[in-house]
Amino acid sequence: MPENTDLLVLAGAILTPTALAGAPAEAGFVAIRDGVIVGVGTPDAADSWIPRAQRVVDLGDATLTAGVVDAHIHPVAGIGMTRGVDLSEAETLEDAQQALAAESADAGEWVFGWGLNPIVFGVAAPSMRLFDRLPQDRLAFVQLFDAHSAVASGAALARAGVTGAETFDDASSIAVDAEGTPTGYLLEHRAMGRVTRIVPALTFEERRDALVAILRGMAETGVTIGQMLDSSDPDAFDLFDAIEAEGELPIRLRVSPMAVPGSTEADWAQLADLQGRHGRRWEVRGIKLMIDGTIDNGTAWLREPDTLGESTESLWLSPPEYAAAVEYFHARGIPTTTHAIGDRGIEFVAATLNGLERTGVPHRMEHIETLPDDVLDLIVEAGVSVSMQPTHCTHFTRADHTDNWSRRLGDERADRAWRTRDLHDMGVVVALGSDWPVAPYDARATLAAAMLRRPAGRVDVTPVLPDQALDAPVALDAHTRGWWRSVGEAGGTIEEGMPAYLTAFSANPLTADPDAFATADVLLTVVGGDVEVDRTAVTARG
C-alpha cells in the first residue's frame, strides 16, 4: 500500500543502481518522506502514490540521478579568495596587467585579483611585474589559481611590514631576489597571511550574502552536498547560523576543519571538541590535513626535486608530527582527509594511513597529482579512498607538457598525472570534486572533464592522458555515491531507505555527449528531502 509522502518526483529516466550497472534507465517515480526515499517504481505504480503526496514534481523526459556531491570545496574561504577581478582567463602577462589596470579604475585603495595561472610569467617565477601598469604606490594583491600562493605589490608589502627575512613554523616562504629584497611572490598560507591580515575586511552582512550566492550557484549546477575542507575563517559557523536564521543553506555542508602544519596536541584537542557541532544543513565532521603544497609553486613534496630544484620537503617541518596528528584523530574515531600532491607526499600519507589499526574509521587522500605505480599499490594496501579534481588536470595542464605543472615535473612524472582510471580499476573508492575556488564548481563540467580529460566544449584541446578517462557510469557514481563511500556512510543511490538527495538534468549523463551535457539544464535539486532548485516551470515556459 503506498504511503503518505512529502515529495513525489516523476522522471523520464531514473538512474538507479541497475541503470548505472548497464541496464536501460526507465521512467518512473521516487517517493520521499522525512528526508528518506521510501519508494521507487514505474510510471503505472506512480498513479497510486500521487494522491498521497504533499508535493509532486513532474520532470517530463528529464533524467533523475542521485544528488551530486562536491567532495572538496572552500566556500567560506573563497569569499575572500575571489575578491576583485577574475584572472583565470588571462593567457599572457599583458592580459593580466591590463585586467588589473582596468580593475583599478573603479577599485578603492586596494586592487584585487584571483585565479591567475603562473604560466603567464613564462619560465620566470611570479613577481611584481604583474603590477607594471599600476602606480608604484598602489596596494595590490593577486591570488594565484592554486590558492597556495599570491603576488603582492611593493606598496602592500611595505604596509604589511614584510621584509623578506620572515620565517615560519611550516614551509611557507617569502620569495626574495639576490639582494634579499621581496619579489612580491608569497608561497603558502602563512606567508600570504602576512599581507591578507591588513586587507580591509568585508562586513559580516557582505560575507553572509556572498556565501549564500556561492552556495546557490553550486546548487544551480546540480550540487546537493559539499565537503568544506577548512574552517579557517573565524566567523564560518556564525555565517551558517545567520543564514539558517532566515532560511536554509542551498546545499548541505560537511565541514572538516584543518589541523595545520606545526599545530600541537592542544590544537588537535580543540578541533576534536568541534566534532558534532551542527545546524540544520551543516555539521562538523572529520579533519583536513596537508602534507605538502603544490607543484606549480614548488612546495609539493617530491621524491626528487623538480626541474627548478624545488618541491623537496613536506609542509610539516617534521613529518612525523603529521603522522602523530593522524594517529590522534584516528584513536578518537575522527575521519581525516589529507591534501597530498607530490609523489613523496602521497607515499608518506599512504604509509601513515596503512600503519593505522583497522578500526573502521574512514580516511581519504586529496588530489593525488603524480602517482608512481608502487605508491598506487600502497594506497590500495592502505584501503583508503581518494578525492580527485578532474578540472585541475584539464584546466591547468597540457598534453604537450608546455604548462608550468608539467615543465616543473618533467615528462616522466607528468605522465603520471591524475591517474583516476587506474585508481578506480584497482578498487580504490574515488570521489570527485572541484576544490572551488581553485577550479569552477559546475558539476556538469566536472563530470565532462572526468570523461574527456580536456575542458568541456574545447574540442580543439588535446586530451591529457586520455587512457585515464572515466566511463560515464563510473564518473557519475564517483560524483554521487563516491563521496558517501569515502566518508563511510550509506547514500548516493536512488533506492528505498537511502537519504533523499537528488539531481535532475535535461540530458542523461550516461548517454549524452559529454560536451553537450556540460550545458544541459539542471531542473531540480533535492537536499535531504526538500526541493531546493526547481526549474521545471521555467523550462516549460521556455
Side-chain angles (χ1 to χ4, degrees):
M1 180 72 178
E3 306 174 44
N4 293 329
T5 60
D6 303 318
L7 176 66
L8 193 74
V9 182
L10 309 173
I14 298 180
L15 301 189
T16 61
T18 57
L20 288 174
E26 298 181 348
F29 74 91
V30 175
I32 297 165
R33 186 179 70 246
D34 295 332
V36 176
I37 296 173
V38 294
V40 181
T42 64
D44 290 343
D47 292 341
S48 59
W49 287 77
I50 290 174
R52 296 176 176 271
Q54 291 188 15
R55 180 174 181 180
V56 177
V57 176
D58 189 346
L59 296 169
D61 294 334
T63 298
L64 187 66
T65 79
V68 172
V69 183
D70 194 318
H72 190 139
I73 56 174
H74 302 280
V76 178
I79 298 168
M81 292 164 61
T82 56
R83 292 179 71 172
V85 59
D86 182 354
L87 299 173
S88 60
E89 299 298 321
E91 296 184 356
T92 67
L93 184 58
E94 184 176 1
D95 289 342
Q97 290 170 337
Q98 290 179 344
L100 287 167
E103 175 74 8
S104 69
D106 298 320
E109 185 181 27
W110 284 80
V111 180
F112 296 107
W114 64 282
L116 183 65
N117 192 325
I119 200 171
V120 303
F121 293 93
V123 297
S127 71
M128 285 185 272
R129 293 169 55 209
L130 182 62
F131 308 117
D132 281 355
R133 292 179 180 265
L134 302 179
Q136 287 190 346
D137 61 352
R138 197 66 194 268
L139 301 169
F141 184 84
V142 170
Q143 186 95 40
L144 299 190
F145 81 85
D146 64 4
H148 285 253
S149 54
V151 183
S153 67
L157 294 177
R159 178 172 292 190
V162 173
T163 66
E166 290 82 2
T167 59
F168 303 93
D169 55 6
D170 66 3
S172 298
S173 63
I174 293 169
V176 296
D177 61 20
E179 288 73 41
T181 303
T183 65
Y185 190 25
L186 308 171
L187 294 93
E188 295 302 331
H189 296 93
R190 286 199 169 96
M192 292 187 288
R194 290 298 178 98
V195 175
T196 56
R197 66 185 179 184
I198 68 165
V199 168
L202 298 172
T203 67
F204 183 83
E205 291 73 21
E206 289 172 329
R207 288 172 58 77
R208 178 199 61 205
D209 294 347
L211 180 58
V212 170
I214 290 164
L215 299 178
R216 169 59 53 182
M218 292 178 178
E220 290 177 348
T221 77
V223 176
T224 61
I225 301 172
Q227 187 166 358
M228 176 175 141
L229 295 181
D230 66 82
S231 62
S232 54
D233 295 74
D235 64 351
F237 302 154
D238 293 334
L239 288 169
F240 301 153
D241 288 340
I243 293 170
E244 289 194 333
E246 299 180 359
E248 298 289 357
L249 296 173
I251 66 174
R252 172 185 162 192
L253 289 176
R254 179 186 177 109
V255 182
S256 299
M258 189 182 300
V260 299
S263 56
T264 66
E265 189 167 326
D267 301 313
W268 308 338
Q270 291 180 356
L271 296 176
D273 287 344
L274 288 175
Q275 302 297 307
R277 185 168 177 177
H278 67 92
R280 291 192 299 276
R281 284 190 180 175
W282 66 274
E283 62 175 339
V284 177
R285 182 69 173 137
I287 295 293
K288 161 79 176 298
L289 302 103
M290 296 173 58
I291 197 63
D292 62 356
T294 69
I295 288 164
D296 284 280
N297 68 21
T299 58
W301 191 13
L302 298 171
R303 288 173 163 179
E304 301 292 337
D306 67 16
T307 57
L308 299 181
E310 298 178 339
S311 282
T312 59
E313 60 186 358
S314 166
L315 274 182
W316 291 73
L317 299 182
S318 174
E321 293 179 1
Y322 160 81
V326 171
E327 291 165 1
Y328 177 93
F329 295 116
H330 179 76
R332 287 157 180 79
I334 300 172
T336 70
T337 190
T338 301
H339 164 124
I341 280 180
D343 48 23
R344 176 62 183 127
I346 300 167
E347 178 183 36
F348 187 87
V349 172
T352 298
L353 299 176
N354 193 38
L356 299 173
E357 181 183 359
R358 301 296 203 267
T359 59
V361 180
H363 298 286
R364 197 174 78 202
M365 302 171 66
E366 306 291 316
H367 306 309
I368 321 297
E369 290 191 2
T370 178
L371 181 62
D373 287 343
D374 64 311
V375 182
L376 171 56
D377 292 340
L378 184 56
I379 291 173
V380 174
E381 182 181 343
V384 298
S385 57
V386 299
S387 165
M388 307 289 283
Q389 299 75 41
T391 48
H392 286 199
C393 174
T394 62
H395 285 48
F396 306 129
T397 70
R398 298 172 180 170
D400 63 4
H401 294 174
T402 57
D403 59 281
N404 179 59
W405 186 92
S406 300
R407 285 200 306 250
R408 277 184 171 268
L409 285 179
D411 290 343
E412 181 178 354
R413 289 181 293 193
D415 281 339
R416 303 168 182 159
W418 287 275
R419 295 176 62 180
T420 316
R421 181 61 179 262
D422 288 342
L423 285 158
H424 169 266
D425 288 351
M426 291 288 284
V428 176
V429 172
V430 176
L432 297 185
S434 66
D435 196 12
W436 187 86
V438 173
Y441 54 59
D442 193 317
R444 297 162 297 182
T446 300
L447 279 169
M451 292 184 275
L452 297 169
R453 298 288 288 196
R454 62 165 173 78
R458 292 293 307 276
V459 295
D460 57 309
V461 174
T462 302
V464 176
L465 302 177
D467 61 332
Q468 293 300 322
L470 297 179
D471 296 335
V474 175
L476 182 62
D477 185 69
H479 217 2
T480 51
R481 186 174 67 119
W483 175 81
W484 292 88
R485 296 178 67 195
S486 80
V487 297
E489 297 180 12
T493 60
I494 299 180
E495 298 176 279
E496 291 183 22
M498 290 294 102
Y501 292 85
L502 304 170
T503 304
F505 299 101
S506 62
N508 187 333
L510 300 187
T511 58
D513 175 80
D515 287 305
F517 176 75
T519 60
D521 291 329
V522 174
L523 301 179
L524 184 77
T525 65
V526 176
V527 179
D530 297 324
V531 173
E532 185 59 40
V533 172
D534 183 357
R535 300 193 73 253
T536 54
V538 173
T539 303
R541 287 197 300 269

